[in-house]
Amino acid sequence: MTIYKALTIAGSDCGGGAGIQADLKTFQELGAYGMSVITAVTAQNTLGVQGVYPIESAAISRQLDSIGEDLEPDAVKTGMLFDAEIIRIVAAKVEQYRWRSLVIDPVMVAKGGSPLLRQEALQTLIKFLIPLALVTTPNIPEAEILARMPIRTLSDREEAAKRFIQMGSKYVVIKGGHDRHADEIVDLVYDGASFVYMESKRVETRHTHGTGCTYSAAVTAQLARGKSVAEAVQTAKSFIQAAIEDQLGIGGGHGPTNHFAYQRRVRGE
Ligand SMILES: Nc1ncnc2c1ncn2[C@@H]1O[C@H](COP(=O)(O)OP(=O)(O)OP(=O)(O)O)[C@@H](O)[C@H]1O
Ligand SMILES: Cc1ncc(CO)c(N)n1
């Protein structure tokens, strides 16, 4: 049996809905062996973020080397990177170990508004990490900040997508989850040549904690399994749609998505 290995470089969410925990659950569900490099520990639950504790640089470097020296991943994703120094370390190791199937989820704030990336790190992200990406997966507010433009219309979204390709990402997916007015959610996928719109029905729910992490982890798992970016984003869309529709309903606030849902549907349960 071939073992496909996927690595997440991200923050820990002790509540299990986002971050490293969401990534590892998604990797497992989609048939990839999951590995993790933890950049920060967060104390959070469905009510909000109660604490953020970055991991020291040497520990991040050492984790990356432990993976790079022995367990070559087939695909890698980044999530919460917190500050410029962590981004520089991650970019240098991605280059050193030639991790080409790199998915960047440019996490900036948690759903409740708590910052997960320092403002001063934006330029470092643009200059050092995005040029290494196979796929970057911003939501609309993140795309507005990184592309430096307001996004209101679909043509704004296309212009922003072009700017990500100019920054050096080979593909970009601008996710539409934050477009609150629409019944349909539209994600835009762009490879520098053609725009592909992926539509899905908006699920009316407050249980969307970790949607972005789960989605980008699903893309990464599929890339690790050797799928094309076009196939990976299709499966990831089905995975997140199922995870949002079949809500777990745990916690008193914005609950996590259901990482079991997609495979349960595949099995016909
Ligand atoms: N209410 C919803 N119904 C259906 N699909 C959704 C909903 N909210 C988000 N999605 C889908 O989930 C994926 C993640 O999108 P979203 O824009 O929520 O990411 P995000 O803001 O980065 O998430 P996070 O806040 O966890 O970082 C996208 O494919 C999006 O279309
Ligand atoms: C650790 C972590 N990463 C990402 C997000 C964004 O959903 C979060 N809430 N927590």
Side-chain angles (χ1 to χ4, degrees), residues 17-18 105-111 116 137-142 173-180 183 185-187 198 200-205 207-216 233 236-237 240-241 244-245:
D105 181 9
V107 171
M108 292 182 191
V109 291
K111 282 259 152 67
L116 301 176
T137 64
N139 60 27
I140 290 175
E142 290 157 357
V173 182
I174 301 187
K175 301 168 294 181
H178 288 248
D179 188 357
R180 299 265 167 261
D183 295 338
I185 293 194
V186 184
D187 294 352
M198 294 178 50
S200 60
K201 202 164 71 59
R202 169 180 289 283
V203 183
E204 282 311 326
T205 175
H207 300 299
T208 54
H209 176 69
T211 48
C213 304
T214 301
Y215 173 83
S216 55
V233 296
K237 188 75 183 153
I240 193 64
Q241 188 74 17
I244 298 170
E245 280 176 359

Side-chain angles (χ1 to χ4, degrees), residues 147-163:
R148 293 172 209 263
M149 57 176 284
I151 300 176
R152 295 195 191 90
T153 62
L154 287 183
S155 77
D156 291 341
R157 232 187 267 194
E158 292 186 356
E159 173 56 30
K162 287 182 188 165
R163 294 188 187 188

Side-chain angles (χ1 to χ4, degrees), residues 11-13 18-20 42 44 49 80 107 109-111 116 209-210 213:
S12 164
D13 167 9
I20 291 282
T42 70
Q44 57 178 308
V49 178
M80 173 186 178
V107 171
V109 291
K111 282 259 152 67
L116 301 176
H209 176 69
C213 304

Side-chain angles (χ1 to χ4, degrees), residues 45-48 206-207 249-256:
N45 54 28
T46 68
L47 303 174
R206 64 193 163 96
H207 300 299
I250 59 173
H254 293 285

Side-chain angles (χ1 to χ4, degrees), residues 29-174:
E29 289 291 311
L30 287 174
Y33 173 84
M35 303 179 287
S36 62
V37 165
I38 301 188
T39 56
V41 169
T42 70
Q44 57 178 308
N45 54 28
T46 68
L47 303 174
V49 178
Q50 291 84 37
V52 173
Y53 310 92
I55 300 291
E56 64 177 273
S57 303
I60 296 172
S61 270
R62 192 53 255 176
Q63 292 178 79
L64 288 161
D65 286 332
S66 294
I67 304 283
E69 288 163 3
D70 185 38
L71 289 160
E72 193 176 335
D74 298 294
V76 178
K77 73 156 271 192
T78 64
M80 173 186 178
L81 296 175
F82 192 63
D83 65 19
E85 189 177 347
I86 297 178
I87 294 171
R88 266 196 224 99
I89 292 168
V90 169
K93 295 295 176 191
V94 165
E95 286 200 293
Q96 180 183 339
Y97 294 112
R98 298 190 170 83
W99 291 335
R100 306 248 185 264
S101 281
L102 178 68
V103 177
I104 297 179
D105 181 9
V107 171
M108 292 182 191
V109 291
K111 282 259 152 67
S114 302
L116 301 176
L117 181 73
R118 288 199 168 133
Q119 190 76 16
E120 44 89 28
L122 287 173
Q123 277 317 310
T124 313
L125 186 65
I126 292 170
K127 194 164 167 210
F128 293 102
L129 201 57
I130 291 182
L132 305 177
L134 175 59
V135 191
T136 308
T137 64
N139 60 27
I140 290 175
E142 290 157 357
E144 289 184 317
I145 290 167
L146 293 169
R148 293 172 209 263
M149 57 176 284
I151 300 176
R152 295 195 191 90
T153 62
L154 287 183
S155 77
D156 291 341
R157 232 187 267 194
E158 292 186 356
E159 173 56 30
K162 287 182 188 165
R163 294 188 187 188
F164 277 90
I165 303 302
Q166 284 158 9
M167 286 177 229
S169 184
K170 293 194 178 55
Y171 288 76
V172 62
V173 182
I174 301 187

